[in-house]
Amino acid sequence: MIKGHVHSLETFGTVDGPGIRFVLFMQGCLLKCQYCHNPDTWALDGGKTMTLEEVLSEIEPYLNYYKSSGGGLTVSGGEPTLQAGFVASLFQEVKKRWNLHTTLDSNGFNDTKRIEELLDATDLVLLDLKHINDEKHKVLTGKSNERMLETAHWLSDHGKKMWIRHVFVPGIHDDEEDLRNLGRFIGTLNGVEKFEILPYHQMGVYKWELLGKQYPLEGVPSPTQEEVDRAYRFIEEGRMESMKVKISC
């Protein structure tokens, strides 16, 4: 019987895809983002073990809300692709039983060849691009961004719908050329329905303290609206520049 390691669940999610959604947070992540507000999801062997049927029984009572609002099921994390077999089976089953819309909230740090079955059962990918500059990405997350960018290209090439998200941390994401380069990269992709900047916040600091970990961004403020607007402007300028090149080719 297939089982998954689950961190937590939310029955009325409104920001993780269209409509009202059941959001399942899987346990385990290979990135160590400095701003992570759920470091308790990092451990691969943590969380609660649940069967497919146990998860489905949590979803079923709220189906009318999900269907009537154009919502569905979102699986997040941690990093859900680390449990691709379980999530793929879950997506396949909610489609078969209830024809539910499926969304995968991922950082893209995986080999697409290993998760194709999961991606085939996914209607929408929320792709979190942490940093476009590889060296800065390594400092921020502990890993290269190469796999993330490869995942974005794969989704683009295979006709998958994407919402791209980018957490903005003052002092880490405000370089003008980085922002333009992020826009230029997004402009090369097909299927991007939405781009969102998620302003950095400190709401997860207490979890670092509970785990006995030193919080790397101590004292870093949330961005101002002006900083966020500036970032959007440079990203959009880069995206338009890239799209003009794509059209002319």
Side-chain angles (χ1 to χ4, degrees):
M1 182 183 296
I2 188 167
K3 295 181 180 179
H5 292 281
V6 174
H7 174 266
S8 55
L9 56 86
E10 183 181 347
T11 52
F12 282 83
T14 57
V15 296
D16 299 299
I20 298 170
R21 310 191 70 81
F22 185 98
V23 187
L24 187 70
F25 297 92
M26 304 303 291
Q27 182 72 28
C29 187
L30 298 179
L31 302 189
K32 300 293 180 279
C33 297
Q34 292 181 344
Y35 56 70
C36 182
H37 58 273
N38 287 314
D40 49 329
T41 66
W42 289 355
L44 300 176
D45 57 354
K48 176 185 178 182
T49 301
M50 295 184 74
T51 65
L52 213 58
E53 287 300 327
E54 285 173 332
V55 176
L56 292 166
S57 69
E58 294 282 352
I59 297 171
E60 192 165 16
Y62 309 101
L63 281 174
N64 286 341
Y65 295 101
Y66 306 142
K67 289 195 165 192
S68 63
S69 68
L73 167 65
T74 295
V75 180
S76 184
E79 175 47 47
T81 64
L82 296 178
Q83 300 186 63
F86 179 82
V87 182
S89 296
L90 178 61
F91 277 3
Q92 290 162 357
E93 195 60 31
V94 298
K95 284 184 168 299
K96 178 180 165 186
R97 290 193 190 190
W98 306 312
N99 194 30
L100 269 195
H101 182 275
T102 56
T103 294
L104 182 72
D105 183 4
S106 172
N107 60 40
F109 189 71
N110 212 310
D111 180 355
T112 51
K113 295 184 184 70
R114 300 177 63 178
I115 61 172
E116 281 196 38
E117 185 182 10
L118 168 56
L119 295 174
D120 284 344
T122 301
D123 295 315
L124 173 68
V125 178
L126 307 183
L127 185 62
D128 187 5
L129 295 182
K130 311 286 187 181
H131 210 300
I132 197 65
N133 179 292
D134 193 37
E135 290 308 311
K136 293 177 183 177
H137 193 282
K138 289 173 185 173
V139 173
L140 181 64
T141 71
K143 301 288 184 183
S144 167
N145 67 10
E146 185 178 358
R147 283 189 178 183
M148 289 77 169
L149 303 186
E150 287 175 356
T151 296
H153 279 304
W154 189 97
L155 295 170
S156 173
D157 293 343
H158 288 77
K160 304 304 289 189
K161 295 177 181 177
M162 283 179 270
W163 290 6
I164 291 181
R165 293 168 151 187
H166 182 64
V167 174
F168 183 92
V169 184
I172 293 178
H173 294 105
D174 37 22
D175 181 83
E176 179 179 337
E177 194 59 21
D178 288 339
L179 294 166
R180 290 185 185 278
N181 283 337
L182 176 58
R184 288 172 185 133
F185 176 74
I186 293 170
T188 68
L189 303 174
N190 301 311
V192 179
E193 295 187 331
K194 191 174 183 180
F195 170 76
E196 292 180 291
I197 288 177
L198 306 180
Y200 161 74
H201 59 73
Q202 301 88 0
M203 286 188 282
V205 175
Y206 77 96
K207 291 188 178 181
W208 289 73
E209 295 169 350
L210 287 174
L211 294 169
K213 296 177 182 290
Q214 183 175 356
Y215 187 62
L217 301 182
E218 189 70 43
V220 176
S222 296
T224 64
Q225 187 59 51
E226 288 75 17
E227 288 175 310
V228 172
D229 291 344
R230 172 182 176 272
Y232 268 122
R233 186 171 72 253
F234 288 143
I235 291 166
E236 180 61 15
E237 287 174 5
R239 190 183 72 86
M240 293 304 295
E241 178 187 325
S242 182
M243 290 184 71
K244 286 176 184 174
V245 172
K246 188 162 69 171
I247 291 168
S248 65
C249 290

